[in-house]
Amino acid sequence: MHWNPDAEADPATLVYTFGGAAPVASLAPGTVLSTWTRDCFGGRVRSTADLASQVCDPRYLNPQTGPFYIEGAEPGDTLVVHFLSIEPRHDWGVSTTVPFFGSLTATGLTAMLHEPLAERTWFYELDLTERLVRYSALDTAFQAELPLDPMHGTVGVAPPLGEVRSSLTPGSWGGNMDTPEMRAGTTCYLGVNVEGALLSLGDGHARQGEGETCGVAVECAMDTVLVVELLKAVPTPWPRLEDDSFIMTTGSARPLEDAFRIAHTELVRWVAELIGLSTLDAYQLVSQAALTPVANVVDTNYTVVAKFPKALLPGVDVMGGLHRRLRATRHGRP
Amino acid sequence: MHWNPDAEADPATLVYTFGGAAPVASLAPGTVLSTWTRDCFGGRVRSTADLASQVCDPRYLNPQTGPFYIEGAEPGDTLVVHFLSIEPRHDWGVSTTVPFFGSLTATGLTAMLHEPLAERTWFYELDLTERLVRYSALDTAFQAELPLDPMHGTVGVAPPLGEVRSSLTPGSWGGNMDTPEMRAGTTCYLGVNVEGALLSLGDGHARQGEGETCGVAVECAMDTVLVVELLKAVPTPWPRLEDDSFIMTTGSARPLEDAFRIAHTELVRWVAELIGLSTLDAYQLVSQAALTPVANVVDTNYTVVAKFPKALLPGVDVMGGLHRRLRATRHGRP
Amino acid sequence: MHWNPDAEADPATLVYTFGGAAPVASLAPGTVLSTWTRDCFGGRVRSTADLASQVCDPRYLNPQTGPFYIEGAEPGDTLVVHFLSIEPRHDWGVSTTVPFFGSLTATGLTAMLHEPLAERTWFYELDLTERLVRYSALDTAFQAELPLDPMHGTVGVAPPLGEVRSSLTPGSWGGNMDTPEMRAGTTCYLGVNVEGALLSLGDGHARQGEGETCGVAVECAMDTVLVVELLKAVPTPWPRLEDDSFIMTTGSARPLEDAFRIAHTELVRWVAELIGLSTLDAYQLVSQAALTPVANVVDTNYTVVAKFPKALLPGVDVMGGLHRRLRATRHGRP
Amino acid sequence: MHWNPDAEADPATLVYTFGGAAPVASLAPGTVLSTWTRDCFGGRVRSTADLASQVCDPRYLNPQTGPFYIEGAEPGDTLVVHFLSIEPRHDWGVSTTVPFFGSLTATGLTAMLHEPLAERTWFYELDLTERLVRYSALDTAFQAELPLDPMHGTVGVAPPLGEVRSSLTPGSWGGNMDTPEMRAGTTCYLGVNVEGALLSLGDGHARQGEGETCGVAVECAMDTVLVVELLKAVPTPWPRLEDDSFIMTTGSARPLEDAFRIAHTELVRWVAELIGLSTLDAYQLVSQAALTPVANVVDTNYTVVAKFPKALLPGVDVMGGLHRRLRATRHGRP
């Protein structure tokens, strides 16, 4: 199915939350969805002369595409989203500093008496053929090419407890996790909290570093093809990911060690269940085998990812082998 | 005006969020409101035999009275709530441990591999004449009397950015700050984020220690009389309090030092503005004069209060002298 | 006994650590010690024109008086220090901002890309008769009088595990806890880690706010009289305090919630032991009765104090009634 | 040069600190040192029947080999340690849980009221030919093979400010950073704080996961060959690493976001200096290019590593090209 957001829509009418918005369409499990997402600035930052604080309304940041109502989804189920392709919609992206936002600056929560760092915008050329992202320094002539690695910063469902959360925040419902692992070829598992799950996505990044240190990746609109599935009566307390090589858990919280603790308790319990290990045996195995890249240290909650190699799970059918099956989905590029 | 919540209402129909609920009544600024609030368990924990995890539905904790629509309130204004009286509605209160909730246990966010601490319920007699709270140990015969000091753990408005937040969470909108300073005689200043402000309150405590260490105070239903006022075009970024002796700021965040930083930057800026000091002179004065009691280290965000003595503000009219004026409001007990 | 530090000593020869220095004198338990301590700047900041970064060597900050070898003290004992009097040695004190030090600024650990806040020095007149501290703003004519409340920021012993720690750091050995509770009339209990304990003290404050927000109190040299005692075979894992009204525990760690957790687990265990309560009954009682002032959010570790009213401990002899006995010690002023 | 620690030495005579010990030998810059290190248990945990709390004295954990006096090293210089080979000394390693130690348990600092997790020991076969580490579950028959990836958890020098720090703690002096990046082929840069630097190393790991979740890696004695160099008048505020593909910075602090902030400010400043970028241009480039693996979330301070690809530094001579030169050092296996 194709869902084509209205490119001319008034920013005030877009969706900036998980939960709290009426679904734009209904998807049956198994549906291949082809759609696109605006960049986090709603397309208003287009050159080094555009400063986010001048061209954007702070109430209208990080617009999401969706929400999509998933037929049959109920609390206690797991929504499965497999990304078939995530491709920049244009040949450019932007990044910026934002006053009092980022990990190496005072913020509204890590409140201090400093003046803000200078606000600047960087413009990136995206070479979709060579699969490169071209960085140009603002203050000198230095240029560099980095690998294109498109991903969604934001994928999530409606939160539990009747909450509605800003699209700037990650948590147990997914949301703004900002992990580079959310790329094409990855399967994302999200616990369902409300009837229909209410899946939304956005915040495309042509690439980002681990931690998203300045708070803003190489932001771009994305053409995305995904397939949704539903695991009935399988709860997923915190978002999980799977690619061909790793199973992954996420934790989003503050301080950062709590995000680590969530991701690793989830990974220990998942590995214990998959292999049939005792909790302590799984704790030991995860302690020696896990990779732990930081995802973001800038959003309202910070996110850590814990990865466990599937090579250590021989013969184990993760989530009923869904990833392998979805990976084989036929699809055309959007 | 009297607002009498329906004592027989189905728990599923009560309000458990800030934002996201239709107002139950409309109040003009200047209105004296007499109402009552349920305890955080909705009245279902009534003896040492009642365990919260058995008698309560986890979706229905901490019901709020309200929301009240404040006439004329718009984003950028400050809602003023002065508590004329807060009195336990009955002669008993309860406290409990709750599995994986509290400051000295693993929790859902500070996630660990421990088994939960034992779940227990303590029953308190409230002596409203002697103004005492009677503690009885469960495992020995020890008893103790503590001063009655009734307060609301939860007072708040609808949050910004279209968010709806659980009544278990404190933040810039107020909410579950759990500070004993929210007692009769205190004025609370809350920034307005949506038209009508949407004031709610609940979570009465016959008393609590600073930090609310086990996560649960001496919980009780409350009869409360308050008066609301409105300061037009006065923004209040984080909740502020005032009593006869102190002006106070609050910060709610994780880690706890960020709650401290918010409260103290707010206090530095407020003192600078009230006295006409430079920021650094105010930073210095606050550094030598402030009291800083911890409010809670148990909720989804932690709360710190910073207090500055009004004795150091001679001749200064805080918020136009509103506290002094509201303090003199005539009222009968509910 | 009198111990008179050499007022003319070369700063390079003073003691700036807990542990790692040879004792200057030996004290038998029961000894009344009369001595004095330098201010944290070693007396080099004397007017608003003196900036710490210009007049002080960063290697020589917070000199301590001591260490004193306590006769008979062995690991596993508790050293008891009761402060009979703490009086400013002169009629002035100073406070400053320090580049990248304090709670509302980026620091070496909370590392950011900001420029430092401006460095300034405030000069305080101390009125020892009226018991007042006189604040004068630097940028306006505002002045204010605050109560004199002299205390030691730093009291401690040699740390465990063979460590030597800077006098800028608090921890289980005491050190730079920066709590205003360390005033005359208070008894401090410190676990002994090495033979002779090696007690040092310094960092006198004419007063400070809770949190010591800018990182520097009203710093002054102090004349101090104290009495030492020894509790054999009584371990004290983290420093404890006692005055006429409260027993108190301390925790020093980062993040601030860990300091809170240490102080409150220690208080729960102490109350359980003193009253003969089960751990959960004590957890409940502390949750309703404790006061929890923040001590410092600026040092290498942050410090929280948890206070429990002695009124709830009727007939209980804390530490064998030592505080009451030491409180009655006869002494002249130094 | 060969330095052969005394295998029969009394544990009480070994070195368990950075700083505070007399050098065992003196090394001229350029020296190739061949030596070996004990495992963190001093060799006392040798089978699944050995529990650390029973067979080890808590005062004698993580013995270090050294310290080595580096000729000519003075404060303000950088000590360079390049690891030519790190090989397990035996064909076995062990890992354990330790009561109240690890990231998914209450600890002495994250103090709680839980009972400790069960103490267990896992025994690993090391296949030095196949380069494998063999895990065996304790409670089931599951076995798994993980890649051998030998490294040193602990490498450091004497700290600044006259401090002596336990070998269990990482910080600006290096120490117990527990990063898997400290493998053969890596060059480590450490700022010198005292004359002679006083290099020590230990805590060999046959491999570890990122975060060292349970607090204990696959611990083993190591045969290690390294070469030392000295960069005069080059300060290094926090330890830096370099391998053939990345330059790396480290931060060790609590909370974990402060470790992240240290590592990333250091990386931003290093990249700015190496390329000649403005600070903001470097902040932007690092934000898109950095990898950020967690090293440990278990020690007294937590450690984060930030990595920047040398592919983005064409023609740049990091530290005068020292890594490339040392990489070519001829050496025999010990």
Side-chain angles (χ1 to χ4, degrees):
Chain A
M1 131 164 210
H2 288 261
W3 169 257
N4 189 23
D6 174 7
E8 306 303 317
D10 177 351
T13 67
L14 301 178
V15 171
Y16 301 93
T17 54
F18 288 89
V24 296
S26 181
L27 306 180
T31 303
V32 174
L33 170 70
S34 160
T35 189
W36 65 275
T37 61
R38 287 171 171 81
D39 71 37
C40 70
F41 301 114
R44 292 175 168 252
V45 177
R46 297 174 152 267
S47 80
T48 58
D50 294 332
L51 298 186
S53 69
Q54 294 176 358
V55 301
C56 296
D57 184 321
R59 296 170 299 175
Y60 304 142
L61 290 172
N62 207 14
Q64 301 298 299
T65 293
F68 299 96
Y69 184 98
I70 309 303
E71 294 166 19
E74 293 169 304
D77 297 342
T78 289
L79 172 63
V80 184
V81 181
H82 177 75
F83 289 97
L84 293 164
S85 94
I86 302 176
E87 281 295 303
R89 192 165 171 85
H90 310 297
D91 61 357
W92 58 272
V94 288
S95 187
T96 71
T97 45
V98 176
F100 295 125
F101 182 70
S103 63
L104 303 185
T105 167
T107 68
L109 297 178
T110 307
M112 297 178 167
L113 299 176
H114 292 284
E115 295 299 308
L117 302 180
E119 187 175 5
R120 307 291 292 271
T121 297
W122 289 262
F123 185 87
Y124 286 82
E125 290 171 33
L126 309 184
D127 186 328
L128 304 179
T129 310
E130 298 294 324
R131 312 303 286 170
L132 293 173
V133 169
R134 293 211 173 86
Y135 163 90
S136 297
L138 293 176
D139 298 323
T140 60
F142 181 81
Q143 295 195 309
E145 295 180 335
L146 295 82
L148 183 70
D149 187 13
M151 50 156 283
H152 280 287
T154 317
V155 179
V157 294
L161 291 176
E163 285 203 318
V164 173
R165 299 304 304 272
S166 160
S167 60
L168 302 172
T169 297
S172 64
W173 61 93
N176 199 20
M177 295 182 284
D178 282 323
T179 166
E181 306 291 352
M182 198 74 81
R183 56 172 68 87
T186 293
T187 303
C188 175
Y189 304 96
L190 296 162
V192 175
N193 300 301
V194 305
E195 198 186 292
L198 298 180
L199 169 70
S200 308
L201 71 162
D203 194 24
H205 298 165
R207 72 167 285 113
Q208 70 161 82
E210 290 172 354
E212 207 190 6
T213 312
C214 78
V216 185
V218 181
E219 309 288 336
C220 64
M222 284 290 179
D223 286 313
T224 295
V225 186
L226 56 85
V227 52
V228 295
E229 266 300 347
L230 192 61
L231 287 163
K232 292 297 295 178
V234 174
T236 297
W238 285 87
R240 294 176 174 183
L241 303 176
E242 183 181 356
D243 65 15
D244 294 351
S245 303
F246 291 95
I247 61 169
M248 299 176 242
T249 52
T250 67
S252 295
R254 290 187 178 204
L256 188 58
E257 56 261 43
D258 276 1
F260 176 96
R261 286 172 177 136
I262 294 166
H264 275 265
T265 49
E266 287 294 310
L267 190 57
V268 166
R269 290 194 175 115
W270 197 8
V271 165
E273 181 195 319
L274 288 173
I275 304 185
L277 292 179
S278 68
T279 301
L280 285 180
D281 274 340
Y283 189 24
Q284 173 60 216
L285 184 56
V286 164
S287 296
Q288 311 313 343
L291 298 181
T292 312
V294 172
N296 94 73
V297 189
V298 293
D299 297 320
T300 332
N301 291 318
Y302 305 141
T303 303
V304 165
V305 174
K307 305 170 65 168
F308 188 85
K310 291 165 81 169
L312 295 177
L313 301 170
V316 172
D317 237 8
V318 177
M319 300 279 187
L322 206 48
H323 171 77
R324 199 176 50 245
R325 185 158 62 77
L326 294 174
R327 194 84 170 90
T329 308
R330 279 192 56 218
H331 74 288
R333 287 283 293 284
Chain B
M1 135 165 206
H2 289 260
W3 169 256
N4 189 24
D6 174 5
E8 307 303 318
D10 177 351
T13 67
L14 301 179
V15 171
Y16 301 92
T17 54
F18 288 89
V24 297
S26 182
L27 306 180
T31 301
V32 174
L33 171 70
S34 160
T35 189
W36 65 275
T37 61
R38 287 172 171 81
D39 71 38
C40 70
F41 300 115
R44 293 177 166 250
V45 177
R46 298 173 151 266
S47 80
T48 58
D50 294 331
L51 297 187
S53 69
Q54 295 175 359
V55 300
C56 297
D57 183 320
R59 296 170 300 174
Y60 304 142
L61 290 172
N62 206 14
Q64 301 298 298
T65 294
F68 299 97
Y69 184 98
I70 310 302
E71 294 167 19
E74 293 170 305
D77 298 342
T78 290
L79 172 63
V80 185
V81 181
H82 177 75
F83 290 97
L84 293 164
S85 95
I86 302 176
E87 281 295 303
R89 193 167 170 83
H90 310 298
D91 62 357
W92 59 271
V94 288
S95 187
T96 71
T97 45
V98 176
F100 294 126
F101 182 69
S103 62
L104 303 185
T105 167
T107 68
L109 297 178
T110 307
M112 297 177 167
L113 299 177
H114 292 285
E115 296 299 309
L117 301 181
E119 188 175 5
R120 307 292 292 270
T121 297
W122 289 262
F123 185 86
Y124 286 83
E125 290 170 34
L126 308 184
D127 186 328
L128 304 180
T129 310
E130 298 293 325
R131 312 305 285 169
L132 292 173
V133 169
R134 293 210 174 87
Y135 164 90
S136 297
L138 293 175
D139 297 324
T140 59
F142 181 80
Q143 294 195 310
E145 295 180 336
L146 295 81
L148 182 71
D149 187 12
M151 50 156 283
H152 279 288
T154 317
V155 178
V157 294
L161 292 176
E163 285 204 318
V164 173
R165 299 305 304 271
S166 159
S167 60
L168 301 173
T169 297
S172 65
W173 61 92
N176 198 20
M177 295 181 285
D178 282 323
T179 166
E181 306 291 350
M182 198 74 81
R183 56 171 69 89
T186 293
T187 303
C188 175
Y189 304 97
L190 296 162
V192 175
N193 301 301
V194 304
E195 200 186 291
L198 298 179
L199 169 71
S200 309
L201 72 162
D203 195 23
H205 298 165
R207 72 167 285 114
Q208 71 161 83
E210 290 172 354
E212 206 189 9
T213 312
C214 77
V216 185
V218 181
E219 308 288 336
C220 63
M222 285 290 179
D223 287 314
T224 294
V225 186
L226 57 84
V227 52
V228 296
E229 267 298 349
L230 192 61
L231 288 163
K232 292 297 295 179
V234 173
T236 296
W238 285 87
R240 294 176 175 184
L241 303 176
E242 183 180 357
D243 65 14
D244 294 351
S245 303
F246 291 94
I247 61 169
M248 300 175 241
T249 52
T250 67
S252 295
R254 290 187 177 203
L256 188 57
E257 56 262 42
D258 275 1
F260 177 95
R261 285 171 177 136
I262 293 166
H264 275 265
T265 49
E266 288 294 309
L267 190 58
V268 166
R269 291 192 176 116
W270 197 8
V271 165
E273 181 194 320
L274 288 173
I275 304 185
L277 292 178
S278 69
T279 301
L280 285 180
D281 274 340
Y283 189 24
Q284 172 61 212
L285 185 55
V286 163
S287 296
Q288 312 313 341
L291 299 181
T292 313
V294 172
N296 93 74
V297 190
V298 294
D299 297 320
T300 333
N301 291 319
Y302 305 141
T303 303
V304 165
V305 173
K307 304 170 65 169
F308 188 84
K310 291 165 81 170
L312 296 177
L313 301 170
V316 171
D317 239 7
V318 178
M319 300 278 186
L322 206 47
H323 171 76
R324 199 176 51 244
R325 185 157 64 76
L326 294 174
R327 195 85 170 89
T329 308
R330 279 192 55 217
H331 74 287
R333 288 283 296 282
Chain C
M1 130 163 212
H2 289 261
W3 169 256
N4 189 24
D6 173 6
E8 307 302 316
D10 177 351
T13 67
L14 301 179
V15 171
Y16 301 92
T17 54
F18 288 89
V24 296
S26 182
L27 305 180
T31 303
V32 174
L33 170 71
S34 160
T35 188
W36 66 274
T37 61
R38 287 172 171 81
D39 71 38
C40 70
F41 301 115
R44 293 177 167 250
V45 177
R46 298 174 152 267
S47 80
T48 59
D50 293 332
L51 298 186
S53 69
Q54 294 176 0
V55 300
C56 297
D57 183 322
R59 295 171 300 174
Y60 304 141
L61 289 171
N62 206 14
Q64 301 297 299
T65 294
F68 299 97
Y69 184 98
I70 310 302
E71 295 167 17
E74 294 170 303
D77 298 342
T78 289
L79 172 63
V80 185
V81 181
H82 177 75
F83 290 96
L84 293 164
S85 96
I86 304 176
E87 281 295 302
R89 192 167 170 85
H90 310 298
D91 62 357
W92 58 272
V94 289
S95 186
T96 71
T97 46
V98 176
F100 294 127
F101 183 69
S103 62
L104 303 184
T105 168
T107 67
L109 297 178
T110 306
M112 297 179 167
L113 299 176
H114 292 284
E115 296 298 310
L117 301 180
E119 188 175 6
R120 307 291 292 270
T121 297
W122 288 262
F123 186 87
Y124 286 83
E125 290 171 32
L126 309 183
D127 186 327
L128 303 180
T129 310
E130 299 294 322
R131 312 304 287 170
L132 293 172
V133 168
R134 293 211 173 87
Y135 164 90
S136 297
L138 293 175
D139 298 323
T140 61
F142 181 81
Q143 294 195 309
E145 294 180 337
L146 293 83
L148 183 71
D149 187 14
M151 50 158 281
H152 280 287
T154 315
V155 179
V157 294
L161 291 176
E163 285 204 318
V164 173
R165 299 304 304 272
S166 159
S167 60
L168 301 172
T169 297
S172 64
W173 61 92
N176 198 18
M177 296 181 285
D178 282 323
T179 166
E181 307 291 351
M182 198 74 80
R183 57 171 69 87
T186 292
T187 304
C188 175
Y189 304 97
L190 296 163
V192 175
N193 301 300
V194 304
E195 199 186 294
L198 298 180
L199 169 70
S200 309
L201 73 161
D203 195 23
H205 298 166
R207 72 166 286 115
Q208 72 161 82
E210 290 172 355
E212 205 189 10
T213 312
C214 78
V216 185
V218 181
E219 308 289 336
C220 63
M222 285 290 179
D223 287 314
T224 294
V225 186
L226 57 84
V227 52
V228 296
E229 268 298 349
L230 192 61
L231 288 163
K232 291 299 294 179
V234 173
T236 295
W238 285 86
R240 295 177 174 182
L241 303 176
E242 183 180 356
D243 66 14
D244 294 350
S245 303
F246 292 94
I247 61 169
M248 301 176 241
T249 53
T250 67
S252 295
R254 291 188 175 200
L256 188 57
E257 56 262 41
D258 275 1
F260 177 95
R261 286 172 177 136
I262 293 166
H264 275 265
T265 49
E266 288 294 309
L267 190 57
V268 166
R269 291 192 176 117
W270 198 8
V271 165
E273 181 194 320
L274 288 172
I275 304 185
L277 292 178
S278 69
T279 302
L280 285 180
D281 274 340
Y283 188 24
Q284 173 60 215
L285 185 56
V286 163
S287 296
Q288 311 313 341
L291 299 181
T292 313
V294 172
N296 93 73
V297 190
V298 294
D299 297 321
T300 332
N301 291 318
Y302 305 142
T303 304
V304 165
V305 173
K307 303 171 64 169
F308 188 84
K310 290 165 82 170
L312 296 176
L313 301 170
V316 172
D317 238 8
V318 178
M319 300 279 186
L322 205 49
H323 171 76
R324 199 176 51 245
R325 183 156 65 77
L326 293 175
R327 195 86 170 89
T329 309
R330 279 192 57 219
H331 73 288
R333 287 283 296 282
Chain D
M1 129 162 212
H2 288 261
W3 169 256
N4 189 24
D6 173 6
E8 306 302 317
D10 177 352
T13 66
L14 301 179
V15 171
Y16 301 93
T17 55
F18 288 89
V24 296
S26 182
L27 306 180
T31 303
V32 174
L33 171 70
S34 160
T35 188
W36 64 274
T37 61
R38 286 171 172 82
D39 71 38
C40 70
F41 301 114
R44 292 177 168 251
V45 177
R46 298 174 152 266
S47 80
T48 58
D50 294 330
L51 298 187
S53 69
Q54 294 175 358
V55 300
C56 296
D57 183 322
R59 297 171 298 175
Y60 304 142
L61 290 172
N62 206 14
Q64 302 298 299
T65 294
F68 299 97
Y69 184 97
I70 310 303
E71 294 167 18
E74 294 169 304
D77 298 342
T78 289
L79 171 63
V80 185
V81 180
H82 177 75
F83 289 96
L84 293 164
S85 95
I86 303 176
E87 281 294 303
R89 192 165 171 85
H90 310 297
D91 62 357
W92 58 271
V94 289
S95 186
T96 71
T97 45
V98 175
F100 296 126
F101 183 69
S103 63
L104 303 184
T105 168
T107 68
L109 297 179
T110 307
M112 297 178 167
L113 299 176
H114 292 284
E115 296 299 309
L117 301 179
E119 187 174 5
R120 308 291 293 270
T121 296
W122 288 262
F123 185 87
Y124 286 82
E125 290 171 33
L126 309 185
D127 186 328
L128 304 179
T129 311
E130 298 295 323
R131 312 304 286 169
L132 292 173
V133 168
R134 293 211 172 87
Y135 163 90
S136 296
L138 293 175
D139 298 322
T140 60
F142 181 81
Q143 295 195 310
E145 294 179 337
L146 293 83
L148 182 71
D149 187 13
M151 49 158 281
H152 280 287
T154 316
V155 178
V157 293
L161 292 176
E163 286 204 317
V164 173
R165 299 304 304 272
S166 159
S167 61
L168 301 172
T169 296
S172 64
W173 60 92
N176 198 19
M177 296 182 283
D178 282 323
T179 166
E181 306 291 351
M182 197 75 81
R183 59 172 67 87
T186 293
T187 304
C188 175
Y189 304 97
L190 296 162
V192 175
N193 300 299
V194 305
E195 198 186 293
L198 298 180
L199 169 70
S200 309
L201 71 161
D203 194 24
H205 297 166
R207 70 166 286 115
Q208 71 160 83
E210 290 172 356
E212 207 189 6
T213 311
C214 77
V216 186
V218 181
E219 308 289 335
C220 63
M222 285 290 179
D223 286 314
T224 295
V225 185
L226 57 85
V227 52
V228 296
E229 266 298 348
L230 191 62
L231 288 163
K232 292 298 295 178
V234 173
T236 296
W238 285 87
R240 294 177 174 182
L241 304 176
E242 183 180 355
D243 65 14
D244 294 351
S245 303
F246 291 95
I247 61 168
M248 301 175 241
T249 53
T250 67
S252 295
R254 291 188 176 202
L256 188 57
E257 56 262 41
D258 275 1
F260 176 95
R261 287 172 177 134
I262 293 166
H264 275 265
T265 50
E266 287 294 310
L267 190 58
V268 166
R269 291 194 176 115
W270 197 9
V271 165
E273 182 194 321
L274 288 173
I275 304 185
L277 292 179
S278 68
T279 301
L280 286 179
D281 274 339
Y283 189 24
Q284 173 59 215
L285 185 56
V286 163
S287 296
Q288 311 314 341
L291 299 180
T292 314
V294 172
N296 93 74
V297 190
V298 294
D299 297 321
T300 332
N301 291 319
Y302 305 141
T303 303
V304 165
V305 173
K307 304 170 65 168
F308 188 85
K310 290 165 82 169
L312 295 177
L313 301 170
V316 171
D317 238 8
V318 177
M319 301 276 187
L322 205 49
H323 171 76
R324 199 177 50 246
R325 185 157 63 78
L326 293 174
R327 194 85 170 89
T329 308
R330 278 192 58 217
H331 72 289
R333 285 284 293 285

